[in-house]
Amino acid sequence: MENELMIALIGAGSALTGALIGGTAAVVGASKAARSAYLGSLDVTRRTAQREVYSELLKAAHAYEAGTRAVLEGAGFLLDDLFNELEGLPARHSSSERADLRRAISSAAEPQPVAAAARQVELEGPSSVAAAARAVQAAAEQLGATLSGIEDGSEDPDGSLHPSTRADLPREHFEFLKSAISAFADIARKHLNHR
């Protein structure tokens, strides 16, 4: 009978130990599953928010690109007229035509919507996407400053005016903007598709 009692006690102890180990494993497993489900839903929410602000920056940047593309030719006309006047040649466009071009350029050269959208991307991150957003903002602001300053110039001691904008600079800065937008889209896509 002693052997049977000993076997029963050992069996009961083994069952209790097995139950404790199994119960602990079940609790740990459930905890990990709950944590994974919680973090998974946070990740989905964060990526959704990122996708939205990335999309807003792309919309603002593409709208700015389209608006500035529409006035590049007019900027060239203003520069041509300025260079013609410097060389003593007649301007090709009337004063009223140049005023209309200036107004169109002024309204298209405002990069504020791009800057606001880029700041939202910086909040959502990550740093690589935020850096690409800052590059889009910088390119938009550079193009805006170039377009706004087309007729700015410096005066020589002899009284002659020299334009501060090269004839090809607006187009060059426009191309920088397009490149920055493309780079941002690539970096944002890689981040959103990375798991």
Side-chain angles (χ1 to χ4, degrees):
M1 180 92 166
E2 273 183 34
N3 284 341
E4 292 171 355
L5 183 59
M6 189 60 94
I7 291 172
L9 287 175
I10 291 173
S14 296
L16 183 58
T17 302
L20 286 174
I21 291 172
T24 302
V27 168
V28 168
S31 174
K32 285 183 180 180
R35 178 173 163 69
S36 177
Y38 174 72
L39 292 177
S41 67
L42 283 180
D43 187 49
V44 167
T45 302
R46 188 183 81 241
R47 284 189 185 270
T48 300
Q50 287 173 334
R51 184 178 309 276
E52 287 174 9
V53 296
Y54 298 174
S55 175
E56 287 303 313
L57 176 56
L58 286 173
K59 285 178 192 173
H62 284 299
Y64 186 71
E65 176 189 356
T68 55
R69 177 186 293 122
V71 298
L72 280 178
E73 185 178 29
F77 292 156
L78 285 177
L79 281 169
D80 287 344
D81 281 352
L82 182 60
F83 285 117
N84 284 345
E85 288 175 357
L86 288 174
E87 294 175 7
L89 300 173
R92 293 183 184 169
H93 300 88
S94 70
S95 295
S96 65
E97 289 173 325
R98 287 190 304 227
D100 290 344
L101 291 172
R102 284 184 201 105
R103 276 192 295 279
I105 290 168
S106 178
S107 66
E110 181 52 52
Q112 181 54 33
V114 176
R119 285 191 294 275
Q120 291 298 316
V121 171
E122 287 188 70
L123 288 175
E124 290 295 332
S127 59
S128 60
V129 179
R134 283 190 298 275
V136 171
Q137 178 182 353
E141 288 172 348
Q142 181 181 44
L143 177 57
T146 299
L147 289 172
S148 296
I150 281 180
E151 293 183 302
D152 293 346
S154 59
E155 194 171 314
D156 282 345
D158 66 357
S160 61
L161 181 70
H162 293 283
S164 61
T165 304
R166 295 187 331 260
D168 61 341
L169 197 59
R171 175 84 44 201
E172 184 179 310
H173 287 175
F174 178 77
E175 293 301 324
F176 286 156
L177 175 65
K178 285 176 43 179
S179 294
I181 293 169
S182 179
F184 171 78
D186 287 343
I187 290 170
R189 183 182 62 250
K190 286 176 185 172
H191 168 68
L192 289 173
N193 291 334
H194 178 70
R195 215 42 197 151

